[in-house]
Amino acid sequence: PLITRSHVNLGNIHRQRGDYDDALAAYRRGQEIARVGFGESHPQTLRIDGLVLTVLADMGDWERAITEG
């Protein structure tokens, strides 16, 4: 769980700086860890799923955001 939070925090920093590719990579790592540790429907996992979709939208990749959402 702490590792998941660390990846999310790192993703947040990258996103605030406009480094969307790095943010997405950090969120994806956190997402993978959360799915294994918490499960698919855990609130923490779902929150990270939302962050992934948000950064995809920030990147203008609406098609991918819609497909993954």
Side-chain angles (χ1 to χ4, degrees):
L2 275 176
I3 294 173
T4 301
R5 186 176 307 154
S6 295
H7 285 294
V8 169
N9 289 340
L10 185 59
N12 290 339
I13 292 168
H14 285 302
R15 184 169 169 239
Q16 289 174 357
R17 295 180 60 196
D19 299 330
Y20 299 122
D21 289 326
D22 291 334
L24 184 59
Y27 289 150
R28 291 276 189 209
R29 284 190 297 273
Q31 189 180 45
E32 291 172 17
I33 294 166
R35 286 179 198 270
V36 171
F38 299 128
E40 294 282 327
S41 60
H42 188 277
Q44 182 68 17
T45 304
L46 297 174
R47 179 175 165 266
I48 299 170
D49 290 347
L51 291 170
V52 168
L53 298 177
T54 300
V55 80
L56 287 172
D58 289 344
M59 295 169 74
D61 198 346
W62 295 101
E63 196 168 311
R64 208 161 119 199
I66 291 169
T67 302
E68 292 190 28

